[in-house]
């Protein structure tokens, strides 16, 4: 299965995978508004053995087959400086 990946120019580290190139009509209107302009970044073959940097290729394929799109949001990184280190300082 081919996927076409676009990055949101409004939301950092947010990507949209589409089943068909430039088929933005698949995205709900409110989502298109929130994401703003989408810039094409990659065409990728999503085979069962394909590894993705973030996310599960099987889940992406399922979403593409069911909805025609998949959203990839940024990972949440915990700031180590906000943890309780057990000191009274």
């Amino acid at each position: 299965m081919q996927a076409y990946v676009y990055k949101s120019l409004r939301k950092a580290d947010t990507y949209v995978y589409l089943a068909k190139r430039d088929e933005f009509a698949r995205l709900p209107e409110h989502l298109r508004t929130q994401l703003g302009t989408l810039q094409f970044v990659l065409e990728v073959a999503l085979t069962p053995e394909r590894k993705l940097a973030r996310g599960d290729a099987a889940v992406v394929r399922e979403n593409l087959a069911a909805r025609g799109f998949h959203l990839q949001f940024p990972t949440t990184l915990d700031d180590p400086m906000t943890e309780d280190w057990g000191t009274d300082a």
Side-chain angles (χ1 to χ4, degrees):
M1 169 183 275
Q2 288 297 111
Y4 303 89
V5 185
Y6 300 81
K7 71 176 181 177
S8 169
L9 298 182
R10 182 178 290 164
K11 300 278 188 181
D13 295 326
T14 302
Y15 294 86
V16 176
Y17 290 70
L18 293 177
K20 294 183 181 177
R21 188 165 182 158
D22 299 333
E23 192 175 44
F24 303 115
R26 285 283 196 174
L27 301 172
E29 181 62 35
H30 70 278
L31 183 59
R32 280 187 280 173
T33 302
Q34 288 179 352
L35 295 174
T37 302
L38 296 173
Q39 181 180 35
F40 179 77
V41 292
L42 177 68
E43 178 180 349
V44 62
L46 292 176
T47 60
E49 56 277 342
R50 180 73 177 202
K51 302 286 185 206
L52 297 176
R54 285 194 232 159
D56 182 346
V59 172
V60 175
R61 284 194 311 274
E62 287 174 23
N63 287 336
L64 290 175
R67 295 186 284 205
F69 71 93
H70 172 80
L71 290 176
Q72 177 181 298
F73 295 105
T75 57
T76 56
L77 299 176
D78 293 328
D79 182 356
M81 298 309 289
T82 61
E83 292 180 24
D84 181 7
W85 291 75
T87 63
D88 294 330

